[in-house]
Amino acid sequence: MLFSLFKFQFTTRDTEEKTLEELVMEIQIHQMDELRNHLLQKYRSFISKSVSRVCQRYIDPSVDDEFSVGLEAFNEAISQYSPEKGKSFLTFADMVIKRRVIDYIRKECKYDQSISLFHQEGEEGEEYRPYEIRAAILQYQMDSDTVKRKEEIFLLQEKLKDYGVSFMDLVDEAPRHVDARQNAFSIAKLLVEDHSLKQTFLHKKRLPLKELTKKVELSRKTIERNRKYITALALIQIGDFPYLRSYLTGLERS
C-alpha cells in the first residue's frame, strides 16, 4: 500500500508531462489504484456530460443512477483501453459509457431485449443503430417522466393538506372558464412574486385575502371562491414542481 502510494505521488508530480493515454497504461501495468481513483474524480464532469448526451437531459451526479453507470463504464474503459486501436482514451471511454448507459436504459424501460442496439461491423466492433437507440431513449424518458410526475403529485398533495385542500377539492372546484382560470393564475403569480404576501401565505398556511384584494381588480368574494385553486397554483410555482409547472404555461396571459 505504501509503495503504491509512493508511485501515485511520484506520478502526479509529472502528470502534466504525460498524456492521459500514458497514465491509463501505467494504471493497467502497475495496478495503481490511487491513480485510477484520481482519474475517476478528475473526469467526473466528462462522465456526466457523456451520460447526459445519451439520456438527453441533465444528469445530477449526486442523484441520478445513470451517473453511477457512467462512472463504472469509465472505470471499465481504464482497464480495457488499448492504444493499438488508434483511438484516444476519451473517445474510447465515451463509447464505453454510451454502450453501458444504453444497456441500462433498455433494462429500465423494458425495451425489446431481442433487438440489439448494435450490429457487428469490421474491426471497430459494435456500431449504433440510431433508430433503435432513439426508440429506447424515448421510452425511457416517458417512463422516467411518468415516475417524476407521480412523485410531484404526491408531494403537492402533502403540501395542500397544510392548507386544508385536497385533490378532490381541485377537481370539484376548479374554475370552468378560461378567463377565470387565467385570473386565478395571475393572482397566484402576484402572490409568489410579492415577498410579503408569499411569506404570509407560507407561514400562516392560508391566502392573504385582505391584502390580495387591495392589489387586484377582483372582489374578495371572487378570490375566496377560487381560494383552493389559487392555493394549488401558488404552491406549484413556489415549490420544486417542474413537470406540474409545465402545465401552467397556457394560463399566463400574453
Side-chain angles (χ1 to χ4, degrees), residues 146-157:
T146 298
V147 170
K148 290 181 178 179
R149 273 194 296 269
K150 288 180 179 179
E151 290 175 351
E152 287 188 12
I153 290 172
F154 175 78
L155 180 59
L156 180 60
Q157 284 179 315

Side-chain angles (χ1 to χ4, degrees), residues 44-61 64-77 92-111 113 117-118 126 128 132-141 144:
R44 285 174 67 88
S45 178
F46 169 83
I47 296 168
S48 180
K49 289 178 180 178
S50 183
V51 175
S52 295
R53 283 195 295 271
V54 180
C55 297
Q56 298 180 7
R57 67 179 178 85
Y58 170 72
I59 294 296
D60 186 340
D64 292 309
D65 292 338
E66 292 87 346
F67 178 79
S68 297
V69 175
L71 189 65
E72 291 179 11
F74 190 89
N75 189 42
E76 177 186 342
F92 176 73
D94 184 60
M95 180 182 67
V96 175
I97 290 170
K98 286 178 179 177
R99 290 176 179 176
R100 297 297 170 257
V101 173
I102 289 171
D103 285 344
Y104 173 82
I105 289 173
R106 291 175 63 205
K107 180 180 177 182
E108 289 299 301
C109 72
K110 297 180 177 60
Y111 186 69
Q113 299 296 312
L117 293 182
F118 311 99
E126 296 173 325
Y128 294 113
E132 292 174 359
I133 294 173
R134 286 196 295 271
I137 291 175
L138 178 60
Q139 184 61 51
Y140 162 78
Q141 289 178 324
S144 178

Side-chain angles (χ1 to χ4, degrees), residues 3 86-87 98 149 161-162 180 182 190 192 212 216 231 239:
F3 179 61
K87 293 181 179 179
K98 286 178 179 177
R149 273 194 296 269
K161 288 179 182 178
D162 293 336
Q182 289 180 329
L190 171 65
V192 171
L212 283 172
V216 299
T231 296

Side-chain angles (χ1 to χ4, degrees), residues 175 177-193 212 216 218 226 229-234 236-238 244-254:
H177 299 290
V178 174
D179 284 349
R181 291 196 296 271
Q182 289 180 329
N183 286 335
F185 177 82
S186 297
I187 294 171
K189 185 177 180 182
L190 171 65
L191 172 64
V192 171
E193 294 176 349
L212 283 172
V216 299
L218 294 171
N226 296 316
Y229 186 67
I230 296 170
T231 296
L233 294 179
I236 290 172
Q237 293 181 69
I238 292 171
L244 295 180
R245 196 176 300 124
S246 67
Y247 290 104
L248 305 183
T249 54
L251 293 177
E252 191 163 11
R253 295 181 187 276
S254 57

